[in-house]
Amino acid sequence: MRWATYRAAEGPLVGVVFDDAIHALPPGATLIDLISAGTEALHEAGVRVQHSPHSVVALADVQLMAPIPRPPVVRDCLCFLEHMRNCQVALGRSRELSDVWYRAPAFYFACPSTVIGPYDDVAIAPGSAWPDFELEVGAVIAGGGADLTVEQAEQQIVGYTIFNDWTARDHQMLDTQLSIGQAKGKDSALTLGPFLVTPDELAPYCRDGILDLRATASVNGNVVGTGSTASMDWSFAEVISYASRGVPLYPGEVFGSGTVPTCTLVEHLRVNELASFRGWLHDGDVVTLEVEGLGHIRQTVRASASPVPLTARPRPGAIEPPPRLNRAAARFPFTRGLHAIADRVWAWVLPDGGFGWSNAGLVAGDGQSLLVDTLFDAQLTREMLDALAPITDTAPIRDALITHSNGDHTHGAMLLDPSVRIVAAEATADEIAHDMAPEMMAFFQKADLGPVLTTYARDRFGGFDFGGITARQPEVTFAKEYSLDVGGRRVDIYNLGPAHTGADAVAHVPDVGVLFAGDLMFFGCTPIAWAGPIDNWVAACDAMLTLDPEIVVPGHGPVGDADGIRGVRDYLRFVMEYADSAHRAGHTFLEAADRIDLGEFATWLDAERIVANIYRRYCEIDTETPQLSIVELFTRMAEWLAARTKRQ
């Protein structure tokens, strides 16, 4: 039999599904009540309602709830060890499981109060940038005993249902580090449905005593994974028996099977190849889970409100980092917000100019405007757009130039009106298309990256919200040069990269001598050469100086002038000369970084980027230089900074 619970005018009703209709019991009946009376009583009630229903309603005309809307207890187990192996590989570890996984079945207590129905919308866990699903099968028991044998436990199963363990993977990373079990990563939602299917109904799928139900998980119609319940390493009977040791079980308790291997997004992650991952779930995604004999569930993912923030506790014995002070000369106050820097030209500035704290700008003409760059997350970009509204209400943004592909200049583009044309260099568009999904930046906020990088990464990236960001592709691309008419004002755009990234555009407003330099310029903070070559970055500085700008808006740091360009050029020349000399002397790039005296550049913020810059120069002059992942490079920078801080 297939039992269902659905919403009706008189409240939830329970019934048996025959063909495409539900034969309902009278109001007040629940599946837990029926299960409590025993397996035979459940079967007899189903036979009676088939012949004498309280009402009959078409299945297509009702809103199904979870078969048991509020189970007394939900245990989610890990019966498929291949799922755990795949997860370990996803996180960069060995496939080999420790001995304990083969000794006892694992489970945790899930949250019965967040059980939802098979077609209900599901809200993303508040504050999560990594929402995921897990296709499982749930077994519902009759209860009535403790210390059950495996054979007795098998007889306790009254039915099966599809079980979706919605998971906030970034929250789960923090839960794991606390080492006391699952918590906020697992309690936002749990789907059961569409039916409770009795074991006899599934007899055709039993092969040699093993239930073999094929399962498929899809997102937006694209298959994510497939598998079968036949690959379970621990059976339901075994985990029920194990859970009953010294514990009485009650009617309606639910046991989840754990994830059918490959039927979840996390198994397809490769932590050392973040750009290869398809990304996590987003607002509007439709997740469909299908299991033979049990039916299917289909749910739409919805955004949720931001969580109430908590203040971190001080850590005893922690070495306080030195105060961050950007000492660069500023043409305009280096304060957060909008600054008029020339006739109908504004800069949006975010101190202190470190990782993610980037600048943007607006050029207004007659009846239209050009936006130069967006910001690292939606909240920051929305704050900027709100501040620009008095200007853009009469001169709407028609075009938005993205100077380069880094997320602190691109992520906010999703908030712009669809009519706004996104303009970027061809190589920038290519990098945006192939870069890691924006929400993967949460990895640096939540992952355990070791004793040094973990603190460093959370200090640098902890202030941003990477949830719900969707990369927007440029509609207009150019190779080297492009000009825009912004309401009667000419703005000249030059791609002077590769340097900081694979392409680096600047925007020159010649009628007022303003240059928006993107991340070719860092004032008071250390540049970083993700792409290089560094000598081309020096050439880019020379090209910017030929424009003779009076005002320069850097990608990071206070608004300055041409002297700031000269300062960055001096730093880049210093890096090249020092790295070339160190390489000739036979030093590794790490030895070179450890030995360096930064001199006049030592006071620039984020001095540890010298490690990345020396590494980039070594790659340019020596093709045998080992390739480092982004995590490895950040680790080396964090270790350099920790060592320098300790010496001071």
Side-chain angles (χ1 to χ4, degrees), residues 472-514:
R472 181 169 169 182
Q473 279 296 120
E475 288 87 16
V476 177
T477 60
F478 63 95
K480 297 301 291 184
E481 296 184 10
Y482 192 73
S483 288
L484 284 170
D485 184 312
V486 183
R489 305 181 75 173
R490 191 178 90 247
V491 176
D492 296 322
I493 302 170
Y494 305 96
N495 172 19
L496 302 180
H500 173 63
T501 61
D504 296 284
V506 301
H508 184 224
V509 190
D511 65 345
V512 288
V514 172

Side-chain angles (χ1 to χ4, degrees), residues 334-346:
F334 190 34
T335 55
R336 178 175 180 142
L338 191 63
H339 298 270
I341 59 174
D343 178 32
R344 294 181 297 168
V345 180
W346 294 264

Side-chain angles (χ1 to χ4, degrees), residues 140-205:
V140 179
I141 63 169
D147 300 309
L148 302 173
T149 66
V150 173
E151 292 74 18
Q152 290 170 331
E154 183 73 44
Q155 297 304 311
Q156 285 284 311
I157 300 172
V158 298
Y160 299 92
T161 188
I162 300 176
F163 182 122
N164 187 351
D165 179 27
W166 298 97
T167 304
R169 296 296 179 192
D170 44 353
H171 295 350
Q172 187 183 31
M173 282 195 292
L174 293 180
D175 294 344
T176 302
Q177 293 162 52
L178 291 170
S179 301
I180 61 170
Q182 304 286 358
K184 296 309 294 181
K186 289 285 190 176
D187 70 352
S188 63
L190 190 161
T191 302
L192 299 176
F195 314 117
L196 179 67
V197 181
T198 56
D200 57 335
E201 185 93 3
L202 299 175
Y205 302 100

Side-chain angles (χ1 to χ4, degrees), residues 364-380:
D366 294 336
Q368 64 186 56
S369 296
L370 165 69
L371 181 68
V372 180
D373 281 330
T374 63
L375 303 172
F376 213 4
D377 66 21
Q379 182 176 339
L380 289 173

Side-chain angles (χ1 to χ4, degrees), residues 205-229:
Y205 302 100
C206 280
R207 295 170 178 86
D208 299 323
I210 297 174
L211 197 59
D212 184 5
L213 305 178
R214 297 295 302 171
T216 302
S218 305
V219 177
N220 300 329
N222 301 309
V223 173
V224 172
T226 61
S228 169
T229 58

Side-chain angles (χ1 to χ4, degrees), residues 57 80 97 116 135 208 244 277 286 288 311 331 358 360 396 415 420 433 469 474 501 529 569 600:
V57 60
F80 299 90
L97 299 179
I116 58 177
L135 190 165
D208 299 323
S244 76
F277 183 56
V286 178
T288 304
T311 302
R331 285 285 302 268
S358 56
L415 295 182
V420 175
I469 297 172
T501 61
R569 183 178 62 181
E600 63 182 295

Side-chain angles (χ1 to χ4, degrees), residues 349-634:
V349 177
L350 288 178
D352 56 24
F355 280 113
W357 300 106
S358 56
N359 301 332
L362 188 79
V363 180
D366 294 336
Q368 64 186 56
S369 296
L370 165 69
L371 181 68
V372 180
D373 281 330
T374 63
L375 303 172
F376 213 4
D377 66 21
Q379 182 176 339
L380 289 173
T381 303
R382 194 172 289 112
E383 177 189 357
M384 176 181 71
L385 294 177
D386 288 346
L388 293 173
I391 305 162
T392 58
D393 282 348
T394 56
I397 299 171
R398 187 188 70 173
D399 296 291
L401 170 67
I402 300 299
T403 60
H404 63 288
S405 63
N406 285 173
D408 52 349
H409 297 259
T410 66
H411 285 174
M414 59 177 258
L415 295 182
L416 299 177
D417 189 89
S419 64
V420 175
R421 298 187 307 174
I422 308 297
V423 180
E426 292 169 355
T428 294
D430 185 66
E431 287 184 332
I432 293 172
H434 296 96
D435 199 3
M436 67 181 183
E439 66 268 21
M440 295 309 297
M441 286 300 302
F443 176 77
F444 294 98
Q445 298 173 314
K446 303 289 182 69
D448 182 356
L449 300 170
V452 178
L453 181 55
T454 297
T455 300
Y456 176 88
R458 291 175 185 173
D459 286 345
R460 294 297 188 268
F461 299 107
F464 307 103
D465 180 0
F466 298 113
I469 297 172
T470 302
R472 181 169 169 182
Q473 279 296 120
E475 288 87 16
V476 177
T477 60
F478 63 95
K480 297 301 291 184
E481 296 184 10
Y482 192 73
S483 288
L484 284 170
D485 184 312
V486 183
R489 305 181 75 173
R490 191 178 90 247
V491 176
D492 296 322
I493 302 170
Y494 305 96
N495 172 19
L496 302 180
H500 173 63
T501 61
D504 296 284
V506 301
H508 184 224
V509 190
D511 65 345
V512 288
V514 172
L515 178 68
F516 289 95
D519 275 12
L520 288 174
M521 287 295 108
F522 292 72
F523 289 170
C525 40
T526 306
I528 187 165
W530 294 121
I534 296 177
D535 55 0
N536 192 59
W537 198 336
V538 172
C541 293
D542 291 335
M544 286 184 280
L545 288 171
T546 64
L547 298 174
D548 195 24
E550 296 180 21
I551 299 170
V552 178
V553 181
H556 297 258
V559 177
D561 54 25
D563 285 341
I565 300 176
R566 296 183 184 95
V568 170
R569 183 178 62 181
D570 290 345
Y571 173 83
L572 297 170
R573 286 173 171 169
F574 165 75
V575 170
M576 286 196 300
E577 292 169 5
Y578 177 82
D580 291 359
S581 175
H583 185 266
R584 287 193 298 270
H587 302 311
T588 68
F589 85 91
L590 287 175
E591 291 170 339
D594 185 60
R595 295 164 180 258
I596 197 168
D597 178 358
L598 288 171
E600 63 182 295
F601 308 113
T603 60
W604 287 12
L605 292 178
D606 303 318
E608 67 274 10
R609 294 175 182 175
I610 188 63
V611 177
N613 293 330
I614 292 176
Y615 168 72
R616 176 51 49 202
R617 183 58 179 172
Y618 267 51
C619 289
E620 293 167 9
I621 61 179
D622 184 357
T623 58
E624 299 300 316
T625 301
Q627 294 299 301
L628 298 183
S629 70
I630 189 68
V631 173
E632 291 171 319
L633 197 54
F634 267 110

